[in-house]
Amino acid sequence: MATTSTRDASPLARALTSHAGPGDLYEPIAGKEGWVHCYACGHHCRIPPGHDGICKVRFNQDGRLMVPRGYVGALQCDPIEKKPFFHVLPGSDALSFGMLGCDYHCGYCQNWITSQALRDPAAVAPITRITAEQLAGLAVERGARMLASTYNEPLITSEWAMEVFQAARRHGLLTGYISNGNATPGVLDYIRPWTDLYKVDLKGFRQERYRELGGVLKHVLDTIQRLKAMGFWVEVVTLVVPGFNDSDEELGDCARFLASVSPDIPWHVTAFHKDYRMTDPDDTPARTLLRAVEIGRGAGLRFVYAGNLPGRVGAAENTCCPGCGALLVERRGYSILSNRLDGSACPDCGLRIPGVWEHPGETA
């Protein structure tokens, strides 16, 4: 699929055109002169000259796919727990950067100012020119131990992310995607050499709901399976929205699928609050998250966390040993109150706890 070009429609579109370069994640389409097949995301856009992909930031210029490069639309140093990664370097910071655009159009997106740029006239985010080396240097300067591509969908800006992540590796930083999981085998092969961590949003377990958001459930399920098989560290988030995906049956389907891939995948069930265009559902109460936690544990997941309601979900924010039950990492929101891990092991029974608990140092 492709959409009519917006290259000359607005100052923002023109600015993004000047912050673009030739992409890698595409191939020419035989028999269609000038057309390209983009495989950066699961939409597999087939784009004629002068048109954009569904994301609106990858576009065909005279038979070459042009992609975002050399800027950020959002930049912030966050606790790594906010990504959320609960099994990665507890208490450390991640320098989080984002660009503009998305291949979904979720009505409850909390980052819609960046993700829905060029799709929603109200989504206007300033862009700042920056180099990959400057981003990596800024992370080191701020004491971050990870660079995260987030705030918009990182798959559609993978060429730029890999340039940034190569610089990050030279500085001994971890790297990660915060993604909707609408990937392809080709893009995962492309990013794997330079990407350590991958957080996937599993937005439910019903295709009709995914259709409303602009996605395909099977693509996300396939991505989670591939990520584990390829050796990424994976954590999964489900934003629990009342009346949208909060039934016992659907939460159970999510949990059983994840447990079938690996019972060691951390599953974060997080609270919805009214945002962007989704203002009808009530905010998610703590009791719903606690119910989801029990469903996840009942399905065989060893690490299930309740998020976005700090201090209101009891021990469901903590990491406990699945062997002996000992408290290992105590949290309140994004704050680490205590960390009893002995390297990567439970200090009481010696069971190894899966995760990235110690910094691997420079790996390039």
Side-chain angles (χ1 to χ4, degrees):
M1 292 183 65
T3 63
T4 302
S5 179
T6 56
R7 295 298 110 199
D8 300 318
S10 70
L12 176 59
R14 291 193 293 272
L16 290 181
T17 300
S18 68
H19 289 77
D24 298 324
L25 295 166
Y26 79 100
E27 57 193 5
I29 298 178
K32 286 184 173 288
E33 185 175 356
W35 285 57
V36 299
H37 163 217
C38 174
Y39 55 89
C41 82
H43 288 303
H44 285 281
C45 290
R46 286 162 168 74
I47 312 172
H51 287 249
D52 306 323
I54 284 176
C55 64
K56 293 189 174 294
V57 295
R58 300 173 72 86
F59 60 97
N60 184 339
Q61 184 178 75
D62 301 323
R64 290 192 307 171
L65 187 69
M66 304 297 286
V67 304
R69 287 188 184 276
Y71 78 89
V72 292
L75 183 64
Q76 184 170 312
C77 210
D78 295 315
I80 205 164
E81 287 77 16
K82 189 177 180 181
K83 300 299 92 189
F85 286 112
F86 275 21
H87 286 228
V88 179
L89 303 180
S92 64
D93 284 341
L95 184 65
S96 301
F97 67 94
M99 302 182 86
L100 302 184
C102 189
D103 55 329
Y104 282 10
H105 47 259
C106 302
Y108 50 71
C109 183
Q110 297 176 22
N111 296 312
W112 65 275
I113 292 293
T114 50
S115 71
Q116 299 307 304
L118 300 182
R119 185 177 287 125
D120 184 336
V124 180
I127 61 176
T128 301
R129 186 183 295 273
I130 196 167
T131 69
E133 189 61 35
Q134 286 172 331
L135 269 174
L138 186 59
V140 172
E141 178 184 314
R142 295 190 179 182
R145 302 175 77 184
M146 170 189 174
L147 262 172
S149 184
T150 180
Y151 301 129
N152 74 314
E153 176 47 52
L155 288 167
I156 64 172
T157 55
S158 285
E159 289 92 345
W160 167 242
M162 293 311 99
E163 187 177 338
V164 173
F165 286 2
Q166 289 178 49
R169 288 283 186 85
R170 291 193 291 271
H171 289 272
L173 300 169
L174 287 174
T175 60
Y177 266 24
I178 316 303
S179 170
N180 62 28
N182 185 33
T184 66
V187 72
L188 294 182
D189 287 341
Y190 180 81
I191 72 171
R192 181 65 189 102
W194 305 104
T195 308
D196 302 299
L197 319 170
Y198 204 117
K199 189 277 292 185
V200 179
D201 281 328
L202 179 58
K203 299 174 184 291
F205 217 81
R206 301 291 180 267
Q207 173 52 29
E208 58 268 27
R209 291 303 197 185
Y210 259 90
R211 188 178 298 111
E212 293 176 30
L213 308 176
V216 175
L217 172 61
K218 185 180 185 301
H219 294 170
V220 181
L221 303 184
D222 289 347
T223 293
I224 293 170
Q225 292 173 318
R226 286 196 182 96
L227 291 169
K228 286 299 293 183
M230 295 173 73
F232 292 85
W233 175 252
V234 180
E235 304 198 21
V236 174
V237 174
T238 298
L239 184 71
V240 182
V241 183
F244 184 81
N245 63 358
D246 65 335
S247 70
D248 286 3
E249 181 182 12
E250 186 162 359
L251 292 170
D253 287 342
C254 291
R256 284 184 290 272
F257 167 77
L258 294 176
S260 75
V261 178
S262 171
D264 290 332
I265 293 176
W267 187 34
H268 303 259
V269 287
T270 59
F272 162 85
H273 64 264
K274 295 177 175 63
D275 211 328
Y276 192 33
R277 293 174 173 171
M278 191 176 282
T279 57
D280 290 334
D282 293 331
D283 290 355
T284 311
R287 65 180 180 274
T288 298
L289 295 191
L290 293 173
R291 172 168 54 87
V293 168
E294 290 307 309
I295 289 170
R297 291 173 178 166
L301 291 171
R302 303 203 298 169
F303 306 100
V304 188
Y305 300 104
N308 289 356
L309 297 178
R312 296 171 55 191
V313 290
E317 295 184 273
N318 303 331
T319 300
C320 294
C321 176
C324 69
L327 174 63
L328 300 177
V329 183
E330 184 180 9
R331 302 179 184 83
R332 183 184 176 95
Y334 307 136
S335 299
I336 303 299
L337 305 183
S338 66
N339 181 354
R340 297 183 60 243
L341 276 166
D342 180 8
S344 62
C346 172
D348 294 357
C349 71
L351 182 71
R352 180 187 171 277
I353 309 301
V356 183
W357 304 109
E358 299 172 295
H359 201 291
E362 186 171 351
T363 56

